[in-house]
């Protein structure tokens, strides 16, 4: 039971940690997006001074900057909430600084086969070990209850060394040694069905524990399969999310160059920036989902 609680605490701490890493990375993404909007706002202002765009383009860009500022406030608030959650999960006080040294980027996880994962989970899960201990204990209890209908043989013995020794006749005022050995046989011929009832009760409890163990194995097999598929799918989505973010960054760069050349509108630039922000946030969430999927798989495996 203690091992089960420790495993839950590890999962809770890992979840809170990676959520904080994700929130911190999201803040960085929104800050970069806000920097791009402010740079574009300066370009629009210069273009307006040259009489090449209408004043509403400046207003549209300012409105987009305000929207990015609101997103940044929300992202920073989410980061602060995630940090508070991590402090709760780890017991760190507010006076202790947290410096995140982990990064979402990194090599993709290697996922073993399902049979290897299932065998690992059955061997390491403390909940299953506890159920197996209960099954074994109830089996011993049933065997002990069944011995109530069998004869009981006991052997007794003793040694006396006394002055005078009461076992020696006639008694004399000297130190003498004596010994005795006895064998007792007891057999309960009729107990009103008590032993049979005790055996039946222990057998029923053993079968119930075996059914709970079988049900746990069934749920465990499903959990391992689900967490394995979650991790595989999350890892596979990284390449697509990274490609989307790279394409959005290049599209935004091209549109910005076209705007400077007078071939694109402010709406095109803002749309490309919005698409880039969405793609970068999506990539961040995808990378975080891999870390969380790995943590949940480790919990299922009892690591």
């Amino acid at each position: 039971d203690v091992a089960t609680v420790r495993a839950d605490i590890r999962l809770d701490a890992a979840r809170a940690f990676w959520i904080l890493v994700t929130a911190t990375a999201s803040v960085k993404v929104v800050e970069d997006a806000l920097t791009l909007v402010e740079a574009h706002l300066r370009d629009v202002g210069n273009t307006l001074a040259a009489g090449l765009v209408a004043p509403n383009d400046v207003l549209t860009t300012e409105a987009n900057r305000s929207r990015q500022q609101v997103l940044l406030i929300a992202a920073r608030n989410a980061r602060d909430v995630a940090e508070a959650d991590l402090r709760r999960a780890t017991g760190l006080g507010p006076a202790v600084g947290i410096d995140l040294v982990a990064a979402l980027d990194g090599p993709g996880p290697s996922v073993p086969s399902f049979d290897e994962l299932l065998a690992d989970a059955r061997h390491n899960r403390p909940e299953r070990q506890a159920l197996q201990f209960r099954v074994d204990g109830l089996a011993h209890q049933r065997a002990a209850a069944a011995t109530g209908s069998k004869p009981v043989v006991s052997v007794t013995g003793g040694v006396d060394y006394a002055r005078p020794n009461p076992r020696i006749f006639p008694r004399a005022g000297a130190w003498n040694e004596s010994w005795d050995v006895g064998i007792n046989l007891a057999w309960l011929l009729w107990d009103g069905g008590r032993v049979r009832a005790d055996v039946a009760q222990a057998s029923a409890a053993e079968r119930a524990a075996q059914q709970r163990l079988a049900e746990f194995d069934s749920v465990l097999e499903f959990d391992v399969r689900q967490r394995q598929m979650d991790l595989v799918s999350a890892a596979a989505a990284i390449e697509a999310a990274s490609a989307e973010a790279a394409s959005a960054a290049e599209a935004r760069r091209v549109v910005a160059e076209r705007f400077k050349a007078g071939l694109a509108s402010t709406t095109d630039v803002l749309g490309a920036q919005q698409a880039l922000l969405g793609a970068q946030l999506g990539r961040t969430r995808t990378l975080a989902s891999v870390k969380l999927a790995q943590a949940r798989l480790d919990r299922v495996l009892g690591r």
Side-chain angles (χ1 to χ4, degrees):
D1 293 338
V2 173
T4 299
V5 174
R6 286 175 176 170
D8 291 336
I9 291 174
R10 282 196 299 269
L11 175 61
D12 189 26
R15 177 199 57 79
F17 175 80
W18 288 116
I19 288 180
L20 177 57
V21 173
T22 305
T24 303
S26 298
V27 169
K28 181 65 169 57
V29 169
V30 178
E31 287 176 346
D32 293 342
L34 182 59
T35 300
L36 292 177
V37 172
E38 290 176 345
H40 178 66
L41 181 59
R42 290 192 296 269
D43 293 339
V44 173
N46 295 332
T47 308
L48 177 64
L52 300 178
V53 297
N56 65 295
D57 287 344
V58 177
L59 298 177
T60 302
T61 306
E62 289 177 346
N64 188 268
R65 181 184 61 180
S66 300
R67 185 162 53 250
Q68 298 290 342
Q69 290 173 342
V70 172
L71 291 176
L72 181 59
I73 293 173
R76 287 174 175 171
N77 178 70
R79 180 193 59 190
D80 294 340
V81 171
E83 180 177 339
D85 188 28
L86 180 60
R87 293 183 183 277
R88 175 202 59 80
T90 57
L92 295 175
V96 180
I98 296 178
D99 185 15
L100 299 176
V101 297
L104 291 175
D105 289 312
S110 59
V111 184
S113 65
F114 172 75
D115 293 336
E116 294 179 3
L117 293 175
L118 183 59
D120 195 9
R122 288 179 175 176
H123 180 266
N124 294 327
R125 281 293 291 270
E127 300 95 326
R128 191 183 189 281
Q129 295 175 5
L131 288 174
Q132 187 63 58
F133 288 152
R134 292 186 177 95
V135 171
D136 297 340
L138 290 171
H140 291 304
Q141 183 177 350
R142 173 181 53 80
T147 60
S149 60
K150 297 179 180 180
V152 178
V153 179
S154 60
V155 179
T156 61
V159 177
D160 285 338
Y161 184 69
R163 176 187 179 186
N165 193 323
R167 295 180 179 272
I168 297 178
F169 185 80
R171 294 187 178 183
W175 291 96
N176 292 293
E177 178 181 342
S178 64
W179 57 272
D180 66 281
V181 177
I183 299 177
N184 296 324
L185 174 64
W187 196 343
L188 184 62
L189 298 179
W190 186 78
D191 62 353
R194 180 182 59 82
V195 173
R196 184 172 56 186
D198 291 343
V199 173
Q201 181 180 7
S203 299
E206 181 184 5
R207 289 194 300 271
Q210 290 174 345
Q211 290 298 322
R212 287 195 295 270
L213 179 59
E215 181 183 4
F216 181 84
D217 286 339
S218 177
V219 175
L220 180 62
E221 182 176 353
F222 169 75
D223 288 341
V224 171
R225 177 77 69 180
Q226 180 185 14
R227 297 310 177 190
Q228 181 195 34
M229 295 174 62
D230 290 344
L231 181 58
V232 171
S233 61
I238 292 179
E239 183 177 357
S242 299
E244 179 186 5
S247 299
E250 180 62 18
R252 190 268 168 197
R253 186 191 66 81
V254 172
V255 172
E257 293 295 333
R258 289 173 54 85
F259 174 80
K260 293 178 181 179
L263 301 176
S265 64
T266 300
T267 304
D268 296 334
V269 176
L270 296 178
Q273 290 178 346
Q274 194 67 26
L276 175 60
L277 175 61
Q280 290 178 337
L281 289 176
R283 180 178 180 274
T284 301
R285 287 190 292 267
T286 301
L287 293 173
S289 66
V290 174
K291 302 298 185 180
L292 292 175
Q294 182 66 62
R296 294 187 177 102
L297 178 61
D298 290 341
R299 175 63 184 91
V300 170
L301 297 179
R303 296 175 179 173

